[in-house]
Amino acid sequence: MTLVLGAIADDFTGATDLANNLVRAGMRTLQVIGVPDGDVALGEIDAVVVALKSRTCPVSEAIADSRAALDWLQEQGARQLFFKYCSTFDSTDDGNIGPVADALLDRLESRQTVMVPAFPINGRTVYQGHLFVGDRLLNESGMENHPLNPMTDADLVRVLSRQTSHTVGLLSHHALVSGIETTGQRLRTLQADGVRHVICDSLDEHDLATLASAVVEYPLVTGGSGLGQALPAEYRRLGWLDEVTNAGRLTPSSGASLVVSGSCSKATLSQVEHFLADHHGFALDPLSLSEGDDMFEQALAFAREHLFAGQGEAQPVLLYASASPEKVDKAQQRLGATAAGELVERALSRLTRILVDEGVGRLVVAGGETSGAVVSALGIRELRIGEQIDPGVPWTQAPLPERDTPLSLALKSGNFGDVDFFSRAFEVLP
Ligand code: ADP
């Protein structure tokens, strides 16, 4: 079978979220970090998600990177392209959703695409073109205070119209509930009227299934993970996709187990505390790290002793800089927020690199930025997506150049996961 879906995600965690949902819907999925230099082995892969950093960068950069991703995905034979953005439509009047969608449509010589940000199980729905987060309109959901892309208007037709010179229209819930036929008809009418971007209402999974059925043969669709979850059933209906029993099956893991946490989010702080009740852990702090190499060396010696010195299977070990808001504040006052963050990220990612080289084979990382630093220190460019540990956080595997078995890796955003996440992650790992 050839590659069915090629997705371009505008940030890393958004890419993982989509990939996770594709696996759950039965597609064997690979996430690549940035556009690969050449071909990647896609033998048993149904979907590839390219993770870009194009959400808040300058428009021209977002367009160039997205086009490069599109070209690469087309070279790999992707049958449908998917531009993935946040379910809260994170963007500004300058972009980047509208300009990127336009650039991709131009490249594909396609006249129309749909915009489907809704993710009903996470409370994101769209009605009469207005985006809701739970029972609040987008502009009253807290997103109006976002530091990078404040969302002050919930009317997506209006929002997108400010980002593109092309016509934006609405596929209303009224058309959707009339069924697939009417939905398809409405889309064709809009196209005949010159509507290039169609904001789609969607209140639940049933609406998303109707939409997926209507747009499965579009060269390009755009939206959030909800649409991603609905499309695979349509691919199977068309015979594009094999029935696989376990799309998230990974190679059995081996090696020592390490948890690295640079997240100071509330959920992570509870997870750290819970884990330390019956596991070994070493706390790093930016103030000591700024004074020289002592703390780094102590952390390394501690990890080596508990990971590798004993007989038989050692318990997972935690290295963490996660600290209370008061401690973080103190470090930031003394060092500056950026410098404090960088000291921590550098120490944790260097420690991880050394310990993976020495035999860690299962790794959990807490924190978005921290994950970015670790993945880049390990030189990881692709992740095969496995089973979900908690909503939004799957196990993944990355090939290691000098190792027969890949590295098993779980990358957790700060606020994700239940309180026992760290220990349970290793229990569910194949
Ligand atoms: P989250 O996903 O919870 O936002 P991130 O890893 O994205 O976590 O961000 C946390 C940031 O805080 C990182 O830059 C990290 O280096 C920094 N950090 C971690 N521990 C401390 C600390 N004790 N003092 C100051 N900054 C810290």
Side-chain angles (χ1 to χ4, degrees):
M1 286 266 169
T2 55
L3 185 65
V4 180
L5 180 66
I8 303 162
D10 67 358
D11 88 337
F12 185 87
T13 44
T16 310
D17 187 34
L18 174 63
N20 183 42
N21 281 297
L22 293 172
V23 169
R24 286 159 62 72
M27 296 186 87
R28 294 163 298 185
T29 304
L30 188 74
Q31 178 175 338
V32 295
I33 299 159
V35 183
D37 293 336
D39 286 343
V40 168
L42 295 177
E44 294 204 326
I45 296 295
D46 306 309
V48 176
V49 182
V50 180
L52 299 179
K53 280 188 182 170
S54 55
R55 185 169 294 171
T56 51
C57 69
V59 182
S60 56
E61 214 175 286
I63 289 176
D65 290 352
S66 305
R67 272 200 190 134
L70 177 93
D71 291 348
W72 183 83
L73 287 164
Q74 281 199 301
E75 278 162 29
Q76 310 310 308
R79 293 181 102 144
Q80 185 169 47
L81 280 309
F82 189 130
F83 170 34
K84 158 76 173 69
Y85 39 79
C86 191
S87 60
T88 41
F89 214 73
D90 294 22
S91 53
T92 68
D93 288 352
D94 294 331
N96 292 340
I97 295 177
V100 167
D102 276 329
L104 297 178
L105 282 172
D106 287 346
R107 198 71 150 202
L108 290 164
E109 297 182 5
S110 179
R111 289 172 58 196
Q112 189 179 67
T113 190
V114 286
M115 302 256 164
V116 190
F119 197 8
I121 50 170
N122 278 2
R124 273 65 158 169
T125 54
V126 180
Y127 184 62
Q128 304 293 9
H130 288 64
L131 180 52
F132 289 82
V133 178
D135 62 0
R136 299 282 92 189
L137 281 163
L138 177 65
N139 57 308
E140 298 172 9
S141 67
M143 280 302 293
E144 69 275 22
N145 300 320
H146 192 285
L148 302 176
N149 44 260
M151 302 303 291
T152 54
D153 188 357
D155 180 340
L156 297 188
V157 174
R158 213 160 46 194
V159 170
L160 190 65
S161 296
R162 291 193 288 262
Q163 298 180 25
T164 173
S165 56
H166 294 274
T167 315
V168 182
L170 173 69
L171 177 77
S172 73
H173 192 248
H174 182 68
L176 269 177
V177 292
S178 308
I180 296 166
E181 277 296 301
T182 312
T183 301
Q185 187 57 47
R186 174 74 184 142
L187 286 170
R188 283 189 291 279
T189 306
L190 288 168
Q191 187 166 350
D193 291 346
V195 173
R196 199 177 205 217
H197 303 287
V198 185
I199 300 287
C200 298
D201 278 358
S202 17
L203 301 186
D204 54 27
E205 310 301 319
H206 188 262
D207 292 343
L208 289 172
T210 305
L211 277 172
S213 178
V215 302
V216 63
E217 298 199 61
Y218 272 47
L220 174 74
V221 293
T222 86
S225 297
L227 181 63
Q229 217 165 4
L231 282 166
E234 293 302 315
Y235 299 146
R236 271 192 290 275
R237 187 175 61 78
L238 292 178
W240 292 3
L241 188 64
D242 281 338
E243 200 73 55
V244 289
T245 44
N246 185 357
R249 181 176 296 135
L250 299 176
T251 311
S253 62
S254 64
S257 303
L258 176 67
V259 183
V260 173
S261 178
S263 159
C264 300
S265 298
K266 229 169 143 190
T268 307
L269 294 178
S270 312
Q271 288 156 354
V272 166
E273 193 185 328
H274 187 271
F275 188 80
L276 287 174
D278 49 9
H279 291 85
H280 294 293
F282 188 99
L284 295 101
D285 74 83
L287 289 173
S288 308
L289 287 169
S290 71
E291 284 162 10
D293 288 338
D294 285 0
M295 176 166 269
F296 181 89
E297 294 301 336
Q298 285 162 15
L300 186 58
F302 176 92
R304 281 177 171 149
E305 181 193 339
H306 293 288
L307 287 169
F308 307 125
Q311 298 284 322
E313 186 105 329
Q315 284 284 306
V317 169
L318 170 67
L319 299 178
Y320 65 104
S322 312
S324 63
E326 298 74 45
K327 282 192 188 158
V328 172
D329 200 43
K330 201 169 142 206
Q332 289 182 338
Q333 298 276 357
R334 292 267 297 278
L335 303 165
T338 314
E342 278 173 7
L343 274 166
V344 167
E345 283 168 36
R346 216 161 69 85
L348 290 179
S349 56
R350 277 177 60 213
L351 285 164
T352 308
R353 166 89 247 191
I354 294 170
L355 294 166
V356 166
D357 284 346
E358 294 180 4
V360 164
R362 312 158 204 227
L363 177 64
V364 172
V365 186
E369 293 299 324
T370 311
S371 294
V374 167
V375 160
S376 118
L378 292 173
I380 288 172
R381 302 303 308 266
E382 55 184 83
L383 298 166
R384 176 75 191 260
I385 309 297
E387 295 294 333
Q388 174 174 292
I389 306 165
D390 272 337
V393 199
W395 269 111
T396 71
Q397 277 184 337
L400 287 176
E402 276 141 36
R403 206 83 78 75
D404 292 340
T405 27
L407 175 70
S408 293
L409 185 62
L411 303 170
K412 187 191 83 74
S413 279
N415 268 324
F416 281 34
D418 282 342
V419 69
D420 62 346
F421 182 88
F422 293 150
S423 48
R424 202 160 33 77
F426 294 104
E427 287 160 21
V428 304
L429 184 63

